[in-house]
């Protein structure tokens, strides 16, 4: 899942190319499998330019996670803002996840992939991901509360787990089965809500 961010146009061209290249390579091949020299070569910059903008691979990794987070949060907020109701917003969000499963270069959830490579929960990238997950879960909670679900927190947790499961399961196995299972959970959770 390579997501363009709103900041892309505001970055220096070389800095933007480096991050755009990292977005593709880190997602497709894994962060630990991609070296700085490969990023430099594929983004057509010099070593000096890379280090001028990022100073280290660790800083680029943080920027990668921040750019993924920013893009997902922007997309989620857009779906919420454009939905006619909380119910429709939840359907829109989960339809977006289902669409990810069918993309040609789909390789699962970028955040789950990073977590698998960085097991230490105190690592800065893990903290960014934890903050993102809290934000996403809170957005789902507010939607389910707005839809009149009697247990909005539990519903948000179930939707979050269904989303995670579809992205991880779709990467590891059958994308159709993963999407269908997620849809069943979403349908059940939404049916429990009392439309207000």
């Amino acid at each position: 899942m390579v997501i363009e961010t709103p900041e892309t146009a505001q970055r220096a061209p070389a800095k933007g190319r480096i991050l755009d290249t990292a977005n593709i390579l880190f997602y497709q091949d894994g962060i630990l499998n991609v070296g700085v020299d490969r990023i430099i070569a594929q983004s057509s910059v010099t070593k000096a330019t890379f280090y001028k903008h990022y100073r280290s691979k660790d800083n680029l990794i943080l920027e990668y996670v921040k750019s993924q987070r920013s893009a997902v949060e922007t997309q989620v907020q857009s779906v919420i803002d454009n939905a006619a109701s909380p119910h429709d917003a939840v359907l829109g969000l989960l339809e977006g996840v289902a669409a990810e499963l069918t993309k040609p270069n789909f390789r699962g959830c970028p955040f789950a992939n990073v977590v698998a490579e960085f097991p230490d929960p105190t690592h800065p990238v893990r903290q960014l991901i934890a903050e993102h997950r809290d934000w996403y879960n809170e957005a789902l909670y507010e939607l389910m509360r707005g839809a009149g679900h009697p247990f909005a927190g539990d519903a948000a947790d179930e939707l979050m787990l269904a989303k995670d499961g579809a992205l991880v399961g779709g990467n590891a196995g059958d994308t159709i089965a993963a999407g269908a299972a997620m849809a069943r959970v979403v349908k059940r959770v939404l049916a429990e809500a009392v439309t207000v």
Side-chain angles (χ1 to χ4, degrees), residues 98-182:
E100 286 296 323
L101 299 174
T102 63
K103 289 188 175 176
N105 294 324
F106 174 71
R107 197 182 157 274
C109 173
F111 304 110
N113 295 345
V114 172
V115 167
E117 293 192 83
F118 292 87
D120 178 3
T122 64
H123 192 284
V125 296
R126 290 289 302 272
Q127 292 174 351
L128 285 172
I129 292 169
E131 291 167 8
H132 167 70
R133 290 183 59 77
D134 288 345
W135 179 90
Y136 204 118
N137 193 274
E138 180 66 21
L140 291 172
Y141 166 77
E142 290 299 334
L143 290 171
M144 294 315 300
R145 191 170 69 91
H149 197 285
F151 302 103
D154 292 347
D157 291 343
E158 289 182 59
L159 293 174
M160 193 79 170
L161 186 59
K163 173 188 76 72
D164 291 345
L167 290 170
V168 173
N171 183 36
D174 186 341
T175 57
I176 295 170
M182 179 183 62

Side-chain angles (χ1 to χ4, degrees), residues 35-145:
V36 169
D37 289 340
R38 184 173 170 202
I39 294 167
I40 289 169
Q42 291 198 15
S43 57
S44 301
V45 297
T46 64
K47 201 169 264 198
T49 299
F50 175 87
Y51 286 104
K52 171 187 162 193
H53 289 297
Y54 290 102
R55 297 181 178 238
S56 70
K57 183 180 175 185
D58 287 342
N59 288 335
L60 180 59
I61 294 166
L62 284 170
E63 287 304 311
Y64 164 71
V65 173
K66 286 177 186 176
S67 73
Q68 292 292 315
R69 177 182 171 181
S70 174
V72 169
E73 291 178 8
T74 298
Q75 287 177 344
V76 167
Q77 195 59 56
S78 176
V79 169
I80 292 170
D81 292 345
N82 291 304
S85 68
H87 180 278
D88 290 347
V90 171
L91 289 177
L93 292 175
L94 280 297
E95 284 170 6
V97 173
E100 286 296 323
L101 299 174
T102 63
K103 289 188 175 176
N105 294 324
F106 174 71
R107 197 182 157 274
C109 173
F111 304 110
N113 295 345
V114 172
V115 167
E117 293 192 83
F118 292 87
D120 178 3
T122 64
H123 192 284
V125 296
R126 290 289 302 272
Q127 292 174 351
L128 285 172
I129 292 169
E131 291 167 8
H132 167 70
R133 290 183 59 77
D134 288 345
W135 179 90
Y136 204 118
N137 193 274
E138 180 66 21
L140 291 172
Y141 166 77
E142 290 299 334
L143 290 171
M144 294 315 300
R145 191 170 69 91

Side-chain angles (χ1 to χ4, degrees), residues 1-2 17-43 57 60 64 68 107 113 117:
M1 175 166 60
V2 178
R17 279 198 318 276
I18 294 166
L19 184 56
D20 292 344
T21 301
N23 272 319
I24 294 166
L25 295 178
F26 287 167
Y27 180 70
Q28 288 300 314
D29 297 333
I31 292 170
L32 301 180
N33 290 329
V34 176
V36 169
D37 289 340
R38 184 173 170 202
I39 294 167
I40 289 169
Q42 291 198 15
S43 57
K57 183 180 175 185
L60 180 59
Y64 164 71
Q68 292 292 315
R107 197 182 157 274
N113 295 345
E117 293 192 83

